[in-house]
Amino acid sequence: MAVQQRKNYCNGEWIESDSEETFSVTNPADGSVVAQFPKATGADAERAIQAAVGAQDAWAETPGPERGAVLRRAAGLLEDRAEDVAKTLTLEEGKTLAEATGEVQRAVDILYYYAEKASDLAGDAKASSDQNSRLRTVMEPVGVVGLITPWNYPIAIPTWKVVPALAAGNTVVLKPASQAPTVAHELADCLDEAGLPDGVLNVVTGSGSEVGSTITSHEAVDAISFTGSSAVGELVRESAAETGARIQLEMGGKNPAVVMPSADIDEAVDIVGAGAFGVTGQACTATSRAIVHESIYDEFVERLADYANDIEIGPGLEAEMGPQVSASELESTLDYIEIGKEEGATLEAGGDVPTVDGDGHYVEPTVFSDVESEMRIAREEIFGPVVAVIPVSDFKEAVVIANDSQYGLAASVITENLSEANRFIDKVEAGVVKINEKTTGLELHVPFGGTKRSSSETWREQGDAGLDFYTTTKTVYLNY
């Protein structure tokens, strides 16, 4: 595959960076170069922001059905290219082709979903206490929004931020993650071909210190949506506080799956295994802790280890689990595996670098048993295919352990006991709660977000809630 030469997208044109410098995006399976991108400067980000400012009024005044028509055309274009875009996603990020195909389809579905929503953003009529007046609300765009997105879902997350922002009448400056920006450019290309006016969407690639900080600290940026690590998210929060920008932060997780005695063991293993090792464990909603009742603990650990050992590892175009996205991510995962050993946890499966052809960033799916809640592998986000299995004596203890975390993103309980299921819903501290399902996987039409250090706990993403962040409400009193 030829190396793609990419440019920034600004004011409706694909342009070079002022720096004239580039960086390479490499295939984590073998180190080959997939694409080259501009290493943008603060001046490039400034230009993109000014383009968004210039386009804002006209796009806000564009009727909702017309905005929706652009999104609908873009959905069709992306759908036509889905196979090629999915392959590119696998080559630059590493996940399997099946996972990449599902992610691209999610982007298509989001475009179609908000294309219809754009026609219905008028506000509500309310009853007035005066018979000679009318009372209603009007929904209006926030203005210019800055979006900073991660590499692990490199088209789904940009899409579920960009598209509701556009549907609501905002203009956008997007900085995709440098490890996997190519498919975000494919999204921009589809929107451009669909007739999106110049300046409404701008995409700038480069470092967080140059591009990201310019976006988050700029007085003209009215709202900032960020997905990434909690550490960087806190910096974004501080920067936005100085300008008064509205913020939406979705950050880390240490997601538990509680397994109770009534659960079918085979089903429980499949749920936990898929949640822990899918997308190579590189998901903020990945199952990182399995909290298992002591009466089934040994059997569960044995079967989960077998599940991990049976996973075929290799390039995403061929295998069941692909590489980690970069050498640094692999190194971090291997460091945590060593920490788990040093802390006294028992390594039941994996824990090593497998033998795979090519110079890829591979690690074996890893299972630790005899884990205590105080251990670092049970408390810190690993972002790799590592799961810590913690024994508990009863349901009450399981919920206490599940909540013993600085994070609160997703949580699951696997049980056939209706009382336990409902008590878990009531007691667990998480923004997403699942019963007999893996912690990963989201529907596009319902709210997504976390609690504690997993989120700013301001506005949720996706569905109708995804539009709330990008709109303000004006209340109109009409006395006739």
Side-chain angles (χ1 to χ4, degrees), residues 396-412:
K396 182 177 180 180
E397 183 186 7
V399 174
V400 170
I401 295 296
N403 290 337
D404 185 21
S405 174
Q406 63 182 322
Y407 300 108
L409 187 52
S412 172

Side-chain angles (χ1 to χ4, degrees), residues 279-360:
V279 295
T280 320
Q282 298 177 132
C284 56
T285 55
T287 304
S288 190
R289 296 177 293 155
I291 301 167
V292 183
H293 193 276
E294 59 189 11
S295 65
I296 57 171
Y297 184 83
D298 290 341
E299 183 180 4
F300 178 86
V301 168
E302 181 180 356
R303 295 197 189 185
L304 185 62
D306 290 340
Y307 181 105
N309 289 330
D310 286 342
I311 294 174
E312 179 190 2
I313 305 167
L317 295 177
E318 305 168 7
E320 296 176 311
M321 191 181 89
Q324 295 214 247
V325 73
S326 66
S328 61
E329 289 294 332
L330 173 61
E331 182 180 358
S332 175
T333 298
L334 293 174
D335 286 346
Y336 272 111
I337 290 170
E338 290 306 311
I339 288 168
K341 295 176 185 177
E342 293 168 2
E343 288 180 318
T346 301
L347 183 64
E348 299 282 354
D352 207 346
V353 175
T355 301
V356 179
D357 290 340
D359 186 22

Side-chain angles (χ1 to χ4, degrees), residues 125-291:
K126 299 293 184 180
S128 171
S129 58
D130 185 344
Q131 66 177 3
N132 294 319
S133 68
R134 293 291 181 266
L135 191 60
R136 65 188 176 96
T137 64
V138 178
M139 295 178 69
E140 296 183 339
V142 173
V144 175
V145 298
L147 308 177
I148 300 175
T149 58
W151 49 262
N152 60 325
Y153 287 94
I155 194 166
I157 294 179
T159 304
W160 82 46
K161 292 181 188 292
V162 167
V163 175
L166 298 180
N170 300 277
T171 53
V172 174
V173 179
L174 167 67
K175 191 200 94 62
S178 295
Q179 293 94 330
T182 312
V183 288
H185 275 227
E186 294 288 347
L187 171 65
D189 195 49
C190 288
L191 286 162
D192 180 75
E193 289 190 30
L196 192 71
D198 296 349
V200 174
L201 172 63
N202 306 273
V203 184
V204 187
T205 55
S207 70
S209 59
E210 279 278 331
V211 177
S213 63
T214 301
I215 293 171
T216 60
S217 63
H218 203 288
E219 293 285 347
V221 175
D222 300 292
I224 301 163
S225 181
F226 166 86
T227 298
S229 71
S230 296
V232 177
E234 291 305 319
L235 296 176
V236 173
R237 189 199 302 268
E238 292 172 9
S239 183
E242 295 184 7
T243 65
R246 177 181 291 199
I247 60 165
Q248 179 186 66
L249 308 177
E250 294 303 335
M251 301 177 284
K254 194 67 181 174
N255 310 292
V258 170
V259 185
M260 298 308 293
S262 62
D264 178 275
I265 294 290
D266 290 332
E267 181 183 14
V269 167
D270 287 343
I271 290 171
V272 172
F277 307 130
V279 295
T280 320
Q282 298 177 132
C284 56
T285 55
T287 304
S288 190
R289 296 177 293 155
I291 301 167

Side-chain angles (χ1 to χ4, degrees), residues 389-401:
V389 190
I390 304 170
V392 291
S393 59
D394 56 30
F395 177 79
K396 182 177 180 180
E397 183 186 7
V399 174
V400 170
I401 295 296

Side-chain angles (χ1 to χ4, degrees), residues 440-463:
T440 53
L442 305 167
E443 296 275 1
L444 64 85
H445 62 290
V446 291
F448 169 66
T451 62
K452 299 188 277 191
R453 288 201 72 200
S454 291
S455 173
S456 56
E457 299 191 59
T458 48
W459 283 268
R460 294 307 199 208
E461 296 191 284
Q462 303 199 120

